[in-house]
Amino acid sequence: MSIQLSEHFNYSKLIRFTVPSMIMMVFTSIYGVVDGIFVSNFVGKTAFAAVNLIMPFLMLFGAIGFMIGTGGSALVAKTMGEGDRKKANRLFSMLIYLSILFGVALTVLGILFLEPIARLLGAEGQMLEDCVVYGRIILIALTAFMLQNEFQSFLIAAEKPTMGLAVTVAAGVINMVLDALFVGILKWGLIGAALATAISQAVGGFVPLLYFALPNKSLFRLTGFFFDGRALLKACTNGSSEMMTNFSLSLVNMLYNFRLMEYAGEDGIAAYGVILYVGFVFLSIFIGYSIGVAPVVGFHFGAENHGELKSLFRKSLVLLAFCSTAMTVSSVLLAEPLARIFAGYDEGLLEMTVRGLCFYSFSFLAMGVNIFASAFFTALNDGLVSAALSFLRLFLFQVGSVLLLPLILDLDGIWLAVVMAEFLALGVSILCFVRFKKKYHYA
């Protein structure tokens, strides 16, 4: 039996409702990890470093999909909570159509500026060629990637979280199978890895698009196009924190690559790539939970059900505290075997990666609450607070930490920069929870 947004959520029901989105995000991160494993072990360290060097630039373009998906689903869920289902469906349709237009335009811009950006990031020689080849193929699938990110949120708002999970699993399996075929068997190298990713993104983006375009049993169906500038602005404001999250992550990762090139060269970028792959598997649980619970929060906020809002807030903090502790311990214990999967062929790289991952793991103690805080205020349709939290956590605190700590701790300072930034952000998240509890009646 499906769980509706309007129901009361005890711990069991809350976990069951959010588990599909958590599994979906974990699976998404895992097939990203598989990409890294094949590139590192079958194509080489230089190609692996090239992928990690150009990936932050590519993710800048996908940020719009996250913004419209999270901000738009919060607006749509609130509109449904207010009882206007017809308007909610019109808003959903408008946001999807506009995303397709944005995706096509950004693909053209990305391809035009890819090579000069790669040079600016420090790529040269074979690494530059690898950046351009990989990046252009990925950019061709940008529209599908944006839609895939959006539908993760909209399928939950449509009370179809299990379908979102099924599509993500299908896309992931396709990616892994094609990685094995194109890279492992046919030896197509970096081109094969990029094609496998692009094809899987096409599945993740266009299958839900087809589902909503046809008659279906969900709350939404794509209708004729109409434009509502005020609603678009509200959706973008709501999702500005997610836009800021991805934009800041991309810029900060570029800065990390600059610092790593200075302190550890190509090995440093490769080690950081492994840490990000492994780290994203763990933090995707936090992201998945936040994506899953946001439409529920948005619905009860729109319905002015303050009792349920308080219950959701309290239960979420308890669940996140438990997960944060378990994930930190697990990450430290599994650091060496996980790093060996990527870098077992190079002892120096392996040692650097294990040390960095152990330091990075302690950021999970604060990361879960910080991710939830940003998503929570987005669901409350307070995009400004959410964006401020994301900006401080993922840009200001990160930039300050990665610039200052290496001056004191050398390479270890780069690995610990994330930890410092997360704990500084935790203090701000707590202050915001206290500051706005009376305004939104969640505590």
Side-chain angles (χ1 to χ4, degrees):
M1 182 181 295
S2 63
I3 302 174
Q4 296 181 338
L5 298 178
S6 57
E7 295 183 27
H8 167 68
F9 283 76
N10 55 27
Y11 279 106
S12 174
K13 191 173 293 185
L14 183 58
I15 292 172
R16 283 188 288 123
F17 188 81
T18 56
V19 157
S21 60
M22 286 190 281
I23 296 175
M24 180 169 58
M25 289 304 301
V26 169
F27 201 85
T28 299
S29 66
I30 288 175
Y31 76 71
V33 167
V34 171
D35 265 355
I37 293 173
F38 274 97
V39 171
S40 182
N41 288 280
F42 286 87
V43 188
K45 184 166 61 177
T46 299
F48 184 58
V51 170
N52 290 292
L53 188 68
I54 200 62
M55 187 57 72
F57 172 69
L58 301 176
M59 290 302 295
L60 280 174
F61 292 92
I64 290 181
F66 283 104
M67 176 183 69
I68 295 177
T70 53
S73 64
L75 178 61
V76 169
K78 179 175 179 291
T79 304
M80 287 193 300
E82 294 169 344
D84 196 341
R85 180 173 171 179
K86 185 176 180 180
K87 180 181 178 182
N89 194 70
R90 292 203 312 269
L91 292 174
F92 161 76
S93 301
M94 178 193 71
L95 294 170
I96 295 300
Y97 292 140
L98 289 176
S99 298
I100 295 173
L101 293 176
F102 290 149
V104 173
L106 289 172
T107 295
V108 175
L109 289 174
I111 291 175
L112 288 175
F113 289 100
L114 183 62
E115 184 171 346
I117 290 295
R119 291 183 185 276
L120 183 64
L121 293 174
E124 56 185 22
Q126 185 60 49
M127 185 181 289
L128 176 62
E129 293 181 19
D130 289 343
C131 285
V132 173
V133 168
Y134 184 85
R136 284 178 175 165
I137 295 174
I138 296 299
L139 282 169
I140 292 172
L142 177 63
T143 301
F145 177 59
M146 289 173 58
L147 290 174
Q148 182 179 20
N149 293 333
E150 291 178 32
F151 284 130
Q152 287 178 354
S153 298
F154 279 124
L155 281 167
I156 296 169
E159 298 180 350
K160 294 291 181 180
T162 53
M163 181 184 175
L165 173 61
V167 171
T168 301
V169 170
V173 170
I174 289 171
N175 190 25
M176 290 185 282
V177 170
L178 292 182
D179 267 329
L181 176 62
F182 294 163
V183 183
I185 298 176
L186 298 179
K187 308 297 182 184
W188 288 357
L190 205 55
I191 293 176
L195 285 172
T197 299
I199 292 171
S200 71
Q201 289 173 349
V203 172
F206 293 141
V207 169
L209 180 66
L210 181 62
Y211 172 78
F212 284 116
L214 298 174
N216 61 75
K217 296 181 180 180
S218 77
L219 298 178
F220 305 135
R221 184 185 175 189
L222 287 171
T223 59
F225 181 82
F226 87 108
F227 183 75
D228 186 335
R230 182 176 296 180
L232 176 61
L233 179 62
K234 182 62 176 176
C236 291
T237 303
N238 287 345
S240 59
S241 61
E242 279 62 36
M243 173 76 167
M244 183 63 68
T245 295
N246 289 275
F247 192 79
S248 299
L249 277 174
S250 297
L251 293 180
V252 168
N253 284 341
M254 292 179 193
L255 177 59
Y256 269 82
N257 285 333
F258 276 122
R259 298 293 272 171
L260 285 164
M261 189 71 80
E262 178 184 353
Y263 280 85
E266 186 179 295
D267 278 3
I269 294 177
Y272 184 56
V274 175
I275 292 169
L276 289 182
Y277 278 123
V278 174
F280 189 61
V281 174
F282 286 89
L283 72 89
S284 61
I285 295 176
F286 297 139
I287 297 173
Y289 178 82
S290 298
I291 290 174
V293 77
V296 185
V297 171
F299 182 93
H300 287 286
F301 173 64
E304 298 185 358
N305 190 346
H306 299 154
E308 186 65 20
L309 204 57
K310 293 176 182 177
S311 175
L312 288 166
F313 178 73
R314 183 176 61 253
K315 289 179 172 65
S316 293
L317 292 182
V318 171
L319 291 172
L320 289 168
F322 174 79
C323 288
S324 298
T325 304
M327 288 164 57
T328 301
V329 174
S330 300
S331 182
V332 172
L333 294 177
L334 295 173
E336 182 172 352
L338 289 173
R340 191 172 292 278
I341 295 173
F342 292 87
Y345 58 85
D346 188 318
E347 285 300 319
L349 177 59
L350 176 64
E351 182 180 352
M352 181 187 297
T353 304
V354 172
R355 184 175 179 84
L357 185 55
C358 285
F359 283 131
Y360 181 91
S361 299
F362 288 95
S363 66
F364 296 141
L365 291 172
M367 192 180 291
V369 173
N370 291 332
I371 292 172
F372 170 74
S374 180
F376 186 72
F377 283 105
T378 296
L380 295 175
N381 283 254
D382 194 335
L384 293 179
V385 172
S386 184
L389 289 172
S390 294
F391 175 77
L392 290 172
R393 169 182 167 243
L394 295 171
F395 189 78
L396 188 62
F397 293 154
Q398 290 264 14
V399 169
S401 298
V402 78
L403 289 177
L404 294 177
L405 286 184
L407 300 178
I408 304 170
L409 301 172
D410 200 63
L411 183 60
D412 287 344
I414 298 180
W415 310 134
L416 285 168
V418 175
V419 181
M420 175 175 281
E422 289 293 345
F423 275 92
L424 289 172
L426 178 62
V428 178
S429 295
I430 293 173
L431 286 175
C432 287
F433 283 147
V434 174
R435 169 67 177 79
F436 294 102
K437 64 180 182 180
K438 291 184 178 179
K439 179 179 180 180
Y440 294 116
H441 308 286
Y442 54 77

